Amino acid sequence: MRLLYVIILLAFQTVVAQKHINGQVFDRDTKEPLASVFVVNPETNDWAITDQTGTFQLRMPNTKEVSITFRLLGKQEATLNYKKETLNTKIVVFLQKQDLRLDEVIVTARKGKKFSEITIGREVIEQVQAFSLNEVLEQLPGQAITNFTLNEFKPIAFRTVRPSTAANTGFGNKSFGTAIVVDGIPISNNENMQSYGGNYGPPFSPNFLGFGDPSSASGFNGYFSNANFGADLREIPVDNIEKVEVVQGVPSAKYGDLTSGLIKIEQKAGKSPYRVYTSLRDGTTEYGFAKGFKVNDKIGFVNLTVNYLKSNAEPRVSYTEYERITTNLMWSWASKSKNIRNSFSVDYGFNNDNVNYEEEDTDNKIVKNKKKDLSISNRFKWKFSENSFFDNLDINANFRYSDQLTYESKFVNIGGSIVGTSTEEGVYSGTYTLPSYTSVKAVEGIPISSFASADLYKTFNTGDWSHSLLFGTSFRSSDNKGRGRLGSPETMISAFASTNGGSGQGFRPYNYGENIRAEYQFSLYAEDNITRNWENSTFYMNTGVRLDNQFGFTTLAPRINSYYQYDKFKIRGGFGITSKAPSLNQIYTGPRYYDAVLGDYRYPGYYNLGIVQTFIDYSNNKDLKPTKSMRTELGLDYKLPFGNLNLTGFYNKMYDGITSEGIPSVRDMAVLDIQFNGTQTPTYQVTGYTPFYYLQSRLVNKFESKDRGLEFFMSFEKTPFKNITFDIQGSYTETVNTDTRDAYERIASTTPRPEKMAVLKPYDENSKSFRLGANINYHLPKVGLVIAVRSEHFIIDNTNYRSGNRLYAYIDENLNKIIIPEAERDTHPLLPLLAQNNALIDRSLQKVFHNFHLRVSKDFKNGFRFSFYSNNFLDLKQTEDVIDNGVPTKRPKAGMVQLSFGTKIEYQF
């Protein structure tokens, strides 16, 4: 506390001595001054807005070099570095029009200037010609361009080996921990409860949620509901995005509720011409409109964007469609004195998945996933006067309301099955389904979330050290007011418990609005950006701490990023703790119903008697803690005469990850005495009880994952060939996933045994990935032409584990856990009764694979812009060797990108 008083006193003493940076901004082509340019020093968060003469003023920190960024919609963003001695006179800046006639066009992702952050500028986004944020992020190291489809949700995780399916506990935890922040407002998926099974089983298995179709005769294997996963990247169009910054390492203490990485998005705001465009690729079409109006100096600017997309998984038929409509209205203004800036926005959109198999399948299956979103946000910035204690205040607030409906129906013919319908425990006569009927299940969710944050900034000097302080707080709420899981037990057949030991859940409706309690997150955070300059070197450190209370659990998260730069060499490192709150869907499961069929007696034409016993577990997972991640990295940068080299090594450990665990349980199964009376319906009575052993399912914090690896960038700014730039990027990653929970297996035996369940040790799943990529770009500024070729090289892609003989204990009839002596485990009589696979599971890349992608963009002076791209434009048909029904076979390599074409046309006026 005494140290804090000293810092505040020193800050107050330096207010009087504050110096300034004065400058003026002009249009490079017309040489006219530019008003409304947003000027910011990223190190101190000090900002200014140019007046009608293009003039601005910033506070000058006590550093050897100052980095200043200039932003104006329609102009190329410029970040310029100034030596301290050059700031005594007014600086003059010229901004260019943002098109392909710029002197330099950056069309690939670049590593940031401070740490390991990666920046994706507007021209990169244009060159990718993306339909959503997903295709933009595929350009990053460790990611890969995939076969284009918008007919399943798109999650992402960083610095981990991507599994072949999203149904992986490690990937599910990490994708859920990937944060997306749009102009300071986080996008939350914590409230999404579009699942049907009450978390009975793996929490990150999309098809288990009940709305995918991996076994359909049509071959479709998509899934739509992203409950428990990260935000669906399909829902984020890129037309209104100005810049994306990806933090894969240690984020600022300002950002919370994350474990895997941070995606920061900056949207467009300001005056801009009319812009219309259309894109076409395979079975996907997109149309868009954008315009930025300046109303007047007092009211400010209004920006409007509208985007419509329709995608068909298979253009030759129409059974799988995705439709997206997004609209954004933003009003931004600044006070007359330019010390207050405010931005108010309203976003409204639709996202609809539709699968109709009525013509293709005999079960007439229909799947729909509909979502409507309304988001209202306000962003307020206030730059205090010179004699104020603090420099700046930022306040952000958001309210989001969604309406979701996930629906599935199909024709079922199972000959009349017995179902339980009771919502109380006991023995009763069950209900028979019709011999054939249409099964309908649906989930209606109304997720509601809110967010608010307030940040105070202060810059001051202590001798030769420069400090930029941040103090902030934030608040989040999560709720769901939907009708929840809908349907009828009579038309929802589940796996039933029975007298032979089988088990499973029966269905009952569950209302979210009546049973879900709003959950809250409160956060406090502070950080200091410290800079010290010497004659030929600079030391910089961002150090902070974050205190989170997430749904009642408190986490203290220190974070530090630092670098030391000497001439052309920089060494940097970072360490931090991050945490991610569980979702409402993981916490609130609702009562779980276990229906045991005790008897099935039928006399055709006279009676049908099904006797059912229902057990109920009240098993909300209120003890679930936030998942945490320890993140570390160490890197170096070196500026060569012909380019820049960046290397980053990382080690991340996720712990307290969420997984499902079986809990051995025993209930009293009724023993019946049945009295038959000719053609009359039999009567029965309970004469006793016998123990029934089964596994309850809980979500627990017993999953760990370790990731380590190396990323590198090599950009060649000078090449022997005029107008050609070249860069290489790569990523080597090792991932080890461990379910630290015990696994249980029911012992199948024809004779009574004291051992009721076997207890198996957890095992590690090991994965390795090594990928290289290169970009060759040919740019002709005079004619506004860019030709870019991207190559991908898959060198290692391996996953292996040995589930083997992991027996080490058993559960007896009293539910006691009995440890088997280690010397007896390999010969224990339980082993032959277990369905264990002793083989090593090894999925390794057999040979190096390659792919090449082409993109061409041309600007015309009349306002038109034409873009064309082709994935796998060499039409490489790469194969792999597999064993198919015992026969060695060659087949096309799974997951390799196929030849495809796309184009985009836009017009500005």
Side-chain angles (χ1 to χ4, degrees), residues 109 118 139-143 159 248 711-713 729-731 790:
I118 299 173
Q139 313 301 310
L140 301 178
Q143 307 296 326
R159 288 184 173 174
Q248 301 183 101
E711 294 173 347
F712 75 90
F713 286 83
Q729 55 184 250
S731 173
R790 174 182 170 87

Side-chain angles (χ1 to χ4, degrees), residues 154 187 434:
K154 299 292 185 180
I187 297 177
L434 295 174

Side-chain angles (χ1 to χ4, degrees), residues 56-314:
F56 70 91
Q57 184 181 84
L58 292 176
R59 300 181 179 97
M60 186 168 67
N62 184 29
T63 56
K64 179 180 66 175
E65 187 175 83
V66 178
S67 178
I68 303 175
T69 298
F70 302 85
R71 301 175 192 153
L72 181 65
L73 188 59
K75 301 296 181 181
Q76 176 72 7
E77 179 181 302
T79 299
L80 305 175
N81 296 323
Y82 298 94
K83 299 292 185 181
K84 184 176 181 180
E85 55 269 18
T86 65
L87 298 175
N88 295 326
T89 59
K90 184 171 70 174
I91 62 176
V92 178
V93 179
F94 293 91
L95 297 183
Q96 290 182 265
K97 183 180 179 182
Q98 191 176 48
D99 58 24
L100 296 181
R101 288 174 170 79
L102 290 166
D103 295 336
E104 180 184 12
V105 175
I106 300 175
V107 294
T108 57
R110 293 290 180 90
K111 196 200 78 67
K113 294 184 176 181
K114 288 197 294 186
F115 306 115
S116 62
E117 70 278 5
I118 299 173
T119 301
I120 302 173
R122 181 64 208 170
E123 204 51 60
V124 181
I125 298 171
E126 291 281 1
Q127 193 69 9
V128 172
Q129 301 164 41
F131 290 90
S132 70
L133 183 62
N134 179 66
E135 294 96 80
V136 174
L137 298 178
E138 286 182 344
Q139 313 301 310
L140 301 178
Q143 307 296 326
I145 295 176
T146 58
N147 281 312
F148 177 74
T149 175
L150 290 174
N151 297 101
E152 59 185 28
F153 77 85
K154 299 292 185 180
I156 194 169
F158 300 116
R159 288 184 173 174
T160 189
V161 178
R162 175 76 182 246
S164 58
T165 173
N168 177 281
T169 304
F171 178 79
N173 272 285
K174 293 170 190 175
S175 78
F176 189 54
T178 300
I180 301 178
V181 177
V182 181
D183 291 338
I185 304 293
I187 297 177
S188 174
N189 199 43
N190 295 348
E191 306 77 30
N192 185 349
M193 300 188 68
Q194 297 303 106
S195 67
Y196 210 73
N199 286 325
Y200 184 83
F204 302 103
S205 181
N207 286 316
F208 184 82
L209 299 181
F211 299 100
D213 191 10
S215 59
S216 170
S218 65
F220 174 68
N221 191 28
Y223 30 78
F224 311 127
S225 176
N226 65 320
N228 300 348
F229 286 84
D232 187 354
L233 301 180
R234 296 182 306 167
E235 299 178 4
I236 305 176
V238 299
D239 182 60
N240 199 40
I241 295 178
E242 188 68 19
K243 185 172 71 173
V244 178
E245 182 180 295
V246 178
V247 180
Q248 301 183 101
V250 182
S252 162
K254 179 179 178 179
Y255 300 100
D257 204 36
L258 59 91
T259 52
S260 171
L262 170 66
I263 303 169
K264 294 192 292 184
I265 296 174
E266 294 181 9
Q267 295 188 110
K268 299 177 180 179
K271 184 178 180 181
S272 66
Y274 288 96
R275 180 171 179 261
V276 293
Y277 63 91
T278 181
S279 300
L280 174 66
R281 180 177 182 182
D282 298 334
T284 301
T285 55
E286 182 184 31
Y287 306 93
F289 167 84
K291 170 62 180 172
F293 305 88
K294 181 177 181 180
V295 181
N296 55 45
D297 291 336
K298 184 177 181 180
I299 296 178
F301 301 90
V302 175
N303 289 79
L304 173 66
T305 60
V306 180
N307 178 276
Y308 172 76
L309 177 143
K310 188 171 185 178
S311 182
N312 195 332
E314 176 52 67

